Amino acid sequence: PPEIHSASRARVRSGPAPVTDVAKLCVCDLLVAQCDVNCCCDPDCNAADFSLFTTCSVPVVTGDSHLCSQKAATYSLDVEANPPERIFKLIDQVNPSVFCIHATNYEQALSFPSPEIPTSENFDQLLKRFGSAAFSAEPDSWDAITDAQNPSDANETYRYKYGVPVQTVDMFLRLPSPVVSSWCSDMNPAGFLVNQATKCTRSISVEKCGDVEAVSMLFYLNSSILTVPKSSQMVNVTVHSVTFQSLNGTRTLLNGSDVLRLPMVLDELCVNIVLGVSYHITYTDTGEIIEAAASFVLGAINKEALSIQQSFEISFTQVDTKPVPLSGNPGYVVGLPVRAGFRPQGYPFPVLAALFLNSNKYNQLTILQSASNQDCLAAQGARAPVLFGYNIISGCKLRITAAMKCQPLTQTLLDLLKGQNFPEYVASFGNSQAQDVLEWVPITHLYISEQITSNTFQSPCQIPVLLEIEVKWTKYGSLVNPQARIVNVTASITTTALRPLPSGRERIIPVTSSVVFTEVSSPAEPGYKAWPTINIKLPFDFFFPFV
């Protein structure tokens, strides 16, 4: 019926009931049972007191300023009245910010819970819960409250989402990391699709190496991973490879990676202790984990060792796809390859290119790699990656005879300088994705010919002998943590005239490639905010009490 439909629409449009009565709030009421001067919201003040006020020290009283819509109490004085009177109004106030809270439906966040007082009975329990460097501050009843408020979620199909902790049969997949100090904390969860790399220090000795769980392979293999959250289906973590590191740092790949090697004392050494773990998770496009593998680095310590440094990594790859390495996140990191690609005909976005003469699986911008014998024909196909921030020059020598034809020679030199599939685009950032079209910079091509000063022959053969790549970059973002962003790439080909040679004569010409990085950042002006995008920022306590 129309009346029910209208009522339901009204319920949807109306906001939640206010938790705080702003008419009873008064931040300037400081004196007990006394009227505070110019405090128009003080309940201890009467009409006689208001007639003596000169202004209202607090003209507007609101609740949480983060709410999208709320009640506001306004106070003012009618000085034209005799005697002056206080004017009180209760109005609806709308928050103009893009970021606002529609409903404060988590009641436990509206007040601070009373802390549990340590006693002789609960001291051990509290020490176990809060004694480590990191602990969970959420109440144990939160899951039960959430399930009770959302009974319809029982039939929902769960899938992993970005950043959600990867769940195991007992808790979550642990990725030890330093928290307060450099010492390892085992309570750091691995987030889905969040590639991480951590290093931390673990206390250990030869006498107790068998008692520390975190230095054993079993600690990282004994928990099966749930394929999706809150599921009964799971996948086991398999051993992909095991590498042994000697006391002098030499590493050896061990055969039989499926063998579990536990720490043991051997000739005053503790061997088979875990120095590094690298997880690799394979998932589907629907957010389901189908495979998990771990690569281990095992080592040994002697009696003088009191601690070890452990390293941990985790990476994610979608099934039936190849992982694409990044060169920064987001800005380029000095020394990492410049990522490049080309746009095939019919594609709306750039595709990470194959740039070597055979195949370049790393999607990098490359140049000619110098060979020891300096022979250009022998060096054909050898490419070196262009590393961000590194100016490079390379080259070779080409022996030309009178029998060489102009057109084939020109094409050979072009392939030598540019490669067979020279890219059309370069990624602006180190983590630019192919589908983000605006984050790819087109490469500008210039062709420069040497001026001919002699008229002894007509239409000389122009062959390319020099490739110059200039990469212009700028500092992008905050002045506190600027990110390197490529804004322009120019590839210039310089050709020279090849004069005819007499029969039986030879000529040697140098062929050169170079890359130059040029910073074009503008100096920051006093009081200027670098690269403004939107004049809004989240308050520092916007998500309180959540992290």
Side-chain angles (χ1 to χ4, degrees):
E3 59 273 11
I4 297 180
H5 180 66
S6 301
S8 63
R9 292 183 61 185
R11 286 195 299 270
V12 173
R13 291 179 179 178
S14 61
V19 180
T20 305
D21 186 3
V22 293
K24 296 180 180 180
L25 290 180
C26 190
V27 295
C28 57
D29 184 9
L30 305 178
L31 301 178
V32 179
Q34 296 184 39
C35 178
D36 292 82
V37 178
N38 289 340
C39 183
C40 297
C41 57
D42 192 344
D44 298 321
C45 299
N46 52 33
D49 297 323
F50 292 142
S51 65
L52 300 176
F53 287 1
T54 58
T55 184
C56 291
S57 58
V58 180
V60 180
V61 177
T62 60
D64 191 349
S65 60
H66 301 153
L67 293 175
C68 300
S69 177
Q70 62 176 319
K71 294 290 184 180
T74 62
Y75 300 91
S76 60
L77 291 177
D78 185 5
V79 294
E80 296 182 357
N82 190 15
E85 299 176 350
R86 184 198 69 169
I87 301 176
F88 167 74
K89 292 182 180 180
L90 196 62
I91 63 174
D92 292 323
Q93 190 176 62
V94 178
N95 189 349
S97 175
V98 175
F99 306 102
C100 60
I101 299 175
H102 176 68
T104 53
N105 52 6
Y106 182 30
E107 296 183 0
Q108 299 184 25
L110 301 178
S111 61
F112 290 99
S114 300
E116 190 173 357
I117 305 299
T119 62
S120 58
E121 290 78 12
N122 65 0
F123 181 81
D124 293 336
Q125 180 183 358
L126 294 178
L127 181 62
K128 183 179 179 180
R129 180 180 177 186
F130 301 106
S132 60
F135 54 84
S136 174
E138 293 185 353
D140 297 335
S141 60
W142 169 241
D143 292 335
I145 295 175
T146 305
D147 295 339
Q149 291 179 350
N150 301 282
S152 61
D153 292 346
N155 298 325
E156 182 181 351
T157 302
Y158 291 95
R159 291 292 182 266
Y160 280 111
K161 298 181 180 179
Y162 177 84
V164 174
V166 176
Q167 297 183 11
T168 60
V169 291
D170 53 356
M171 190 181 297
F172 50 78
L173 184 62
R174 298 178 177 90
L175 197 72
S177 64
V179 180
V180 178
S181 61
S182 62
W183 297 102
C184 294
S185 170
D186 297 325
M187 299 303 293
N188 177 44
F192 184 64
L193 298 185
V194 180
N195 295 336
Q196 298 184 62
T198 62
K199 289 184 179 180
C200 56
T201 304
R202 183 88 60 181
S203 177
I204 191 176
S205 62
V206 173
E207 295 79 9
K208 299 181 179 180
C209 71
D211 300 331
V212 182
E213 294 182 346
V215 299
S216 172
M217 290 180 60
L218 192 61
F219 180 76
Y220 306 96
L221 298 174
N222 59 0
S223 294
S224 299
I225 296 177
L226 303 186
T227 56
V228 294
K230 300 183 180 181
S231 170
S232 58
Q233 298 180 354
M234 61 194 71
V235 294
N236 295 325
V237 181
T238 60
V239 179
H240 180 263
S241 64
V242 177
T243 304
F244 186 81
Q245 178 175 307
S246 62
L247 292 176
N248 59 7
T250 304
R251 291 191 176 187
T252 305
L253 182 64
L254 302 181
N255 296 325
S257 60
D258 56 341
V259 179
L260 185 65
R261 292 174 169 82
L262 301 179
M264 57 182 298
V265 178
L266 182 65
D267 296 334
E268 298 185 349
L269 296 176
C270 180
V271 297
N272 294 336
I273 61 173
V274 175
L275 299 180
V277 183
S278 179
Y279 290 106
H280 186 76
I281 308 297
T282 304
Y283 66 97
T284 65
D285 56 354
T286 58
E288 179 180 355
I289 295 177
I290 61 174
E291 187 179 349
S295 299
F296 290 89
V297 176
L298 305 182
I301 59 171
N302 51 28
K303 287 188 175 181
E304 286 75 19
L306 300 177
S307 62
I308 59 172
Q309 185 181 62
Q310 293 179 305
S311 60
F312 303 91
E313 293 183 11
I314 186 170
S315 59
F316 296 82
T317 302
Q318 185 174 331
V319 64
D320 297 330
T321 61
K322 295 181 180 180
V324 178
L326 303 181
S327 297
N329 191 20
Y332 276 99
V333 176
V334 175
L336 294 184
V338 174
R339 304 175 67 236
F342 63 96
R343 179 183 296 181
Q345 187 175 5
Y347 275 67
F349 50 82
V351 174
L352 296 176
L355 300 179
F356 284 115
L357 285 180
N358 45 20
S359 64
N360 179 6
K361 61 181 180 180
Y362 297 110
N363 316 303
Q364 301 164 358
L365 182 66
T366 62
I367 65 168
L368 170 68
Q369 182 174 356
S370 298
S372 58
N373 56 7
Q374 293 293 304
D375 186 0
C376 287
L377 298 181
Q380 191 173 11
R383 310 291 296 175
V386 175
L387 305 180
F388 183 83
Y390 287 6
N391 296 337
I392 309 172
I393 185 170
S394 63
C396 58
K397 295 180 180 180
L398 180 64
R399 187 184 302 273
I400 299 177
T401 63
M404 290 184 175
K405 303 297 182 181
C406 178
Q407 187 63 31
L409 180 61
T410 301
Q411 188 61 45
T412 299
L413 290 176
L414 280 177
D415 294 341
L416 183 69
L417 291 172
K418 301 175 62 175
Q420 287 187 340
N421 287 323
F422 193 78
E424 300 174 354
Y425 296 87
V426 167
S428 297
F429 296 99
N431 66 346
S432 297
Q433 301 299 315
Q435 61 269 23
D436 299 331
V437 181
L438 297 181
E439 292 190 6
W440 291 83
V441 178
I443 299 178
T444 303
H445 295 270
L446 299 178
Y447 294 91
I448 305 173
S449 300
E450 291 185 350
Q451 297 294 329
I452 303 173
T453 57
S454 175
N455 296 322
T456 57
F457 58 94
Q458 300 294 328
S459 301
C461 176
Q462 294 283 337
I463 58 173
V465 293
L466 175 62
L467 170 63
E468 295 176 300
I469 300 177
E470 183 183 18
V471 181
K472 295 182 179 179
W473 66 279
T474 183
K475 295 178 180 178
Y476 179 86
S478 170
L479 296 176
V480 179
N481 185 25
Q483 302 293 310
R485 175 188 184 184
I486 294 177
V487 295
N488 182 268
V489 179
T490 303
S492 302
I493 293 286
T494 301
T495 61
T496 185
L498 179 61
R499 301 176 183 274
L501 293 175
S503 179
R505 298 290 298 273
E506 294 181 349
R507 179 184 175 189
I508 297 178
I509 61 173
V511 179
T512 309
S513 295
S514 66
V515 179
V516 176
F517 287 84
T518 305
E519 182 182 357
V520 293
S521 303
S522 300
E525 300 177 1
Y528 173 72
K529 295 182 179 179
W531 301 100
T533 55
I534 185 173
N535 192 22
I536 290 177
K537 67 176 181 178
L538 287 173
F540 73 95
D541 59 346
F542 182 79
F543 291 106
F544 178 83
F546 303 105
V547 177

